[in-house]
Amino acid sequence: MDAAADPPAAASSDAALAEAPSEDSAEPTLYAAPIITPPTPDELRLAEARKQMLRALDTKITQEDDATALGAIELLEKLVSNILAHPDEPKYREFKASNPAISKKLLKVPGGMEFVNAAGFSTKVVQFEEIWQLQGSGIELTVLEHAQEGLARYKALVHERLQKREAAREERKRGIDKEKELILQQIEGDKSERKDKSWK
């Protein structure tokens, strides 16, 4: 009886094997490699401009004394914000290199000229005078938006540095005043002691 019961089990296992797909018949799974699109010329221009502007701010402009650094950053902020606020007005897109404020506060400051170049300005000579001018609209305005963000961040850093130095100066001043006060107290104490001795 037991022997008669075995064949159907064997038959069912054979049927299961027949239904199971073999390794050879399994469909191969395709793993598609991610498609990497190369950056566009505008993306490359923006990345390079950001790198150059941040380098000018980080390694040169903000390495100057606080007043010089703030003067350059605030002037750059004004130039950039004027263009972004009035993108179609040519008068905001150029400035003369001979302008006393721009020459002193920006172009003669280490890193100032590098920042202006990276932001998209280039020079031309008109009637023997050097003019800095911004050409283009699309990507150049995007570059200026990033310039504005970077300038605001570094301006805040310089202000923070200035506040810390001012606080340290005040702390030193308080220390000196305290020392003077102690010396004066000691002098007054010595005077009183001498006065007491003279009455004896």
Side-chain angles (χ1 to χ4, degrees), residues 61 64 68 72 103-114:
I61 295 174
E64 298 299 301
T68 301
S103 177
K104 180 183 177 182
K105 291 185 176 182
L106 180 58
L107 299 179
K108 289 184 178 177
V109 174
M113 202 175 293
E114 288 93 326

Side-chain angles (χ1 to χ4, degrees), residues 29-35:
T29 306
L30 297 177
Y31 294 99
I35 298 171

